Amino acid sequence: MNEDFERTIGYTFRNPSLLETAFTHSSYKNEKKLPGDCNERLEFLGDSVLGVISAEYFYKNFNH
């Protein structure tokens, strides 16, 4: 699956296991009893990064 996705988007990831983690939902992992991580930690990190970027934008552009 990873190779097909990388070919489609035209980008090769340095750490393919992170890509697999990013696409693994916790409910699927638990249902199939799969080892390894699910995407929740990466989702939390991504949400935090977007929060910082948004806060900086609003702080700089809406100084009322």
Side-chain angles (χ1 to χ4, degrees):
M1 178 195 98
N2 289 350
E3 295 83 14
D4 293 337
F5 180 72
E6 290 175 327
R7 201 171 14 263
T8 299
I9 66 170
Y11 182 84
T12 302
F13 290 86
R14 282 184 257 160
N15 188 344
S17 66
L18 282 177
L19 184 60
E20 191 73 31
T21 299
F23 284 126
T24 303
H25 194 271
S26 61
S27 61
Y28 178 80
K29 181 185 165 303
N30 291 332
E31 182 179 306
K32 300 293 182 179
K33 297 180 180 21
L34 298 173
D37 293 327
C38 64
N39 64 354
E40 289 176 347
R41 289 179 65 217
L42 292 174
E43 182 181 9
F44 175 77
L45 178 61
D47 289 349
S48 298
V49 170
L50 288 174
V52 167
I53 292 169
S54 299
E56 180 183 26
Y57 174 81
F58 289 124
Y59 182 80
K60 287 182 176 181
N61 292 288
F62 298 97
N63 57 359
H64 293 114

